[in-house]
Amino acid sequence: AVFQSIPPHGAHDWEYFSIDSNHYLAVANSYSSGNNDLDSVVYQWTGSSFASPQAIATHGATSLKWFSIDGGNFLAVASYLNGNSYDIDSLIYQWNGCRF
């Protein structure tokens, strides 16, 4: 049975992680209507569903990976395409206590 519908845009990857007993689900959005410059989204578990999305600027995102180093929390995003160019940096976002 379907639990919840989340509208991705050309999703290539999902990443679940937990920070300070809060649960998150991030989706790497890759394209929508021929556009690769669109946000990927981090959803927070509310106790009954994933909501309160946080948008993260991405360009043709293909993969997400959460990791923790020395008490810091990070989300790495692999980028694939920025408009017509494959020459694009992938990004690492750092958690600031309430968002990336």
Side-chain angles (χ1 to χ4, degrees):
V2 174
F3 173 73
Q4 181 177 350
S5 177
I6 295 177
H9 300 284
H12 274 249
D13 192 25
W14 293 85
E15 178 78 358
Y16 164 82
F17 53 95
S18 180
I19 300 173
D20 298 329
S21 299
N22 293 307
H23 304 280
Y24 300 90
L25 186 61
V27 58
N29 287 322
S30 182
Y31 62 90
S32 179
S33 301
N35 181 19
N36 297 95
D37 298 323
L38 67 155
D39 295 338
S40 291
V41 182
V42 177
Y43 295 90
Q44 183 174 359
W45 179 250
T46 65
S48 60
S49 67
F50 286 98
S52 305
Q54 174 197 344
I56 296 177
T58 57
H59 306 282
T62 58
S63 183
L64 299 167
K65 184 65 179 174
W66 171 83
F67 58 97
S68 180
I69 298 175
D70 295 331
N73 293 285
F74 303 88
L75 186 64
V77 180
S79 299
Y80 176 68
L81 180 65
N82 183 7
N84 295 324
S85 177
Y86 295 98
D87 185 20
I88 180 171
D89 292 336
S90 292
L91 303 172
I92 300 174
Y93 292 91
Q94 185 171 12
W95 184 253
N96 69 7
C98 61
R99 61 187 304 116
F100 287 102

